[in-house]
Amino acid sequence: MATKKPSAQSAKPSADRPVDDRRGHGDELQQMAGGRHPSLTTNQGVPLSDNQNSLRTSPRGPTLLEDFVLREKITHFDHERIPERIVHARGSAAHGYFELTKSLKKYTTAKILTEVGEKTPLFTRISTVAGGAGSIDTPRDIRGFAVKFYTKEGNWDLVGNNIPVFFIQDAMKFPDLVHAVKMEPDRGFPQAASAHDTFWDFISLTPEAMHVIMWAMSDRAIPRSLRMIEGFGIHSFRLVNENGDSTFVKFHWRPKLGLQSHVWDEAVKVAGADPDYHRRDLFEAIQAGNFPEWELAVQLFTQAQADGFPFDHLDATKIIPEELVPLTVIGRMVLNRWPDNFFAETEQVAFCPSHVPPGIDFSNDPLLQGRLFSYLDTQLSRLGSPNFHQLPINAPKCPFVNQQRDGHMQMEVPKGRVNYEPSSLDPASARATNTGFRSFAEPAGDGSKGRIRAESFADHYSQARQFYRSQTGFEQAHIASAFVFELSKVETLHVREAMIGHLRNVDEDLAHRVADGLALPSFPPAQSKAVPAKDQPMSPPLQIIGKMKDTLKGRAVGILIHDGSDAAAIRAVRKAAESAGASVKIVCLKVGGAKLSDGKQQSADGQLAGTPSVVFDAVALVLSDDAGKLLAKEAAAVDFVRDAFGHLKAIAADAGAQAVLKAGGIRKDAGVVDASDTAGFIKAAKTRQWAREAKLRTLA
Ligand code: HDD
């Protein structure tokens, strides 16, 4: 599929951004937001005659304090930053919609889940956790997956991650977890990395983290694209129907493009080649009309079923295996519009798990309960005012009214004298109704007050083992190697040893592989455990390889060319790749392009040194003999093929390109094909050449 060039966004008001007349001067506000005034003005609307020179006593004299234009411009600039999110500071977002395809009327009154065909506007922000707002897109990290549905009954924020379990069981431990993973406080590094002592020290002393840590060391934590990750609401929530009956629910997002991840060396190199790789990938896909899409699926279960599970579903370190409670697909999410303004939308969007419409309710998961407090609280310091809900990106798209008033940056102009309830003075003032939000009437108070962890939360290893043993051999090797990499960055020997002690409780073979990879002086003893791991049935949906789709849709192919390249061969590779759904970019030594065999000039989409093969899923080299000899001496060209090969990608090369393959030490295999064999190339490009890996590097 050909990609359209990204274009500037229209600033015109749209159906999504109706004029807000509650403020009493809607049109003027739109005018401000759209910047449609014919000439530059100050913030007070005073037209400017000069926005480039400050007011001086004489051409070379001092600047005057009187200069309100200068003062306003600089003062505003000085205050342009707000505190970044304490976690999930780095994120990318897009507008879109949710369409319900299967009604859950039996289980809930929430209209967004009962009205089939209804399209609900939404805003989705996907983030890394540990790094700052300016950090790289591709560290090993969990990805946040936060969706704000603007439902007709108020906003619903489903604030999840791309991994279905969490590090801790109680919100009380969250500040410690985050302090431990963020850069160390005395030295200010490492940025956006878990591979350091404080993180692993904390993890080694937190057995409940062993399940999530298996996921975090898997390739799920180094995704190829934000369009190719799953999302999970993680906690059990409740659905409540019109009779007040409750059913537990877990939410799952499943990407239409399937799952795909980087290999570790690739993720590291992408970080250098394009620190904004995931943001750019999402932007380019949306601008080209290749809208990313996810299915929303649910796992529904009753209290009676939950009582029979071999784990506690209120424990956020546990999944409910799909084999136990199958997934039901109920709708789809499409992201189809990039925000107009990064700060106003992506930065100012404020998600709170406590934002739910009637018919959706919380469970007693102690992690969720703490979150219900934390998010509202953090918005107050991040956005500076209890009126943050009035910002356009946060405001519900349904009417909202109550007697809350005033506060910093109040942007509404409430009318009338009644700002309290009850009141007889204004009979028309809004009242609470029977159909409003009701908490599920759960019987409570079955024990005595205390800082207690339920015994049913004590099994920390069974699901960690189930996850590891459910992986393919390739994936297990990647997990073991990730542990070796991370723990190699840990300077404290006893922390490394403690982690091996935990891995012994998960899987002895894994523990040996990691201990060997670290060359530990001796094999550490197993950690003591409250509950020994119990073998669980294998669960293939836990794999990534099993969920990779045999497709080029949404993927990218790079074609390296030079002067004299065969024009027909380039056309053939491009056509085959585009027909299979890939986007194609031409890479050249110089950005001006190359003169092809037919005498025509071919422009380039990227210069070779700045467009390495890590930004593609497969590469083709179409080169004349002379060009092949020339590029065989060009490090960037040799790295282009060496990395593509090392990252298990398909390579198509014509006769001229063989010199570059030779210089890169490329050995022929099923994924290295002749450029004329376009069908063979496309077949190989749809997957990774897993069998190649063992010949390339020593995995733990
Ligand atoms: Fe959190 C942000 C996801 C536990 C406290 N969290 C934040 C975001 C995501 C998550 C996706 C970014 C939202 C955005 O894009 O603006 N957090 C999770 C998940 C958790 C979780 C899936 C466990 C299942 N979080 C969690 C706990 C606490 C917090 C236990 C505190 C007790 N999280 C926050 C926060 C943040 C946040 C400090 C930072 C910025 C923000 O809220 O708006 O309040």
Side-chain angles (χ1 to χ4, degrees), residues 4 310 364 393 548 582 585:
K4 277 193 263 154
N364 290 339
I393 194 66
M548 222 178 133
K585 281 190 177 158

Side-chain angles (χ1 to χ4, degrees), residues 8 22 31 42 59-60 82 195 207-208 231 243 259 264 325 340 410 412 447 450 452 525 540 648 661 687:
R22 283 171 303 118
Q31 202 172 355
T42 65
R60 300 179 63 242
I82 60 172
E208 70 208 57
N243 301 324
L259 281 185
W264 172 241
V325 179
D340 290 327
Q410 170 59 258
E412 294 179 2
I452 308 157
L648 319 180
L661 297 200
T687 180

Side-chain angles (χ1 to χ4, degrees), residues 548-623:
M548 222 178 133
K549 284 202 176 157
D550 201 17
T551 177
L552 263 188
K553 282 213 175 79
R555 312 229 167 122
V557 170
I559 309 180
L560 179 60
I561 64 163
H562 193 63
D563 289 336
S565 288
D566 183 339
I570 296 171
R571 270 197 304 277
V573 174
R574 180 193 280 276
K575 191 170 164 217
E578 287 181 349
S579 313
S583 61
V584 172
K585 281 190 177 158
I586 300 288
V587 182
C588 246
L589 194 55
K590 296 181 183 172
V591 77
K595 190 173 262 187
L596 304 186
S597 58
D598 60 2
K600 293 196 183 130
Q601 184 71 15
Q602 167 69 56
S603 61
D605 300 299
Q607 180 230 3
L608 176 58
T611 318
S613 61
V614 287
V615 301
F616 301 113
D617 297 279
V619 296
L621 288 80
V622 182
L623 298 172

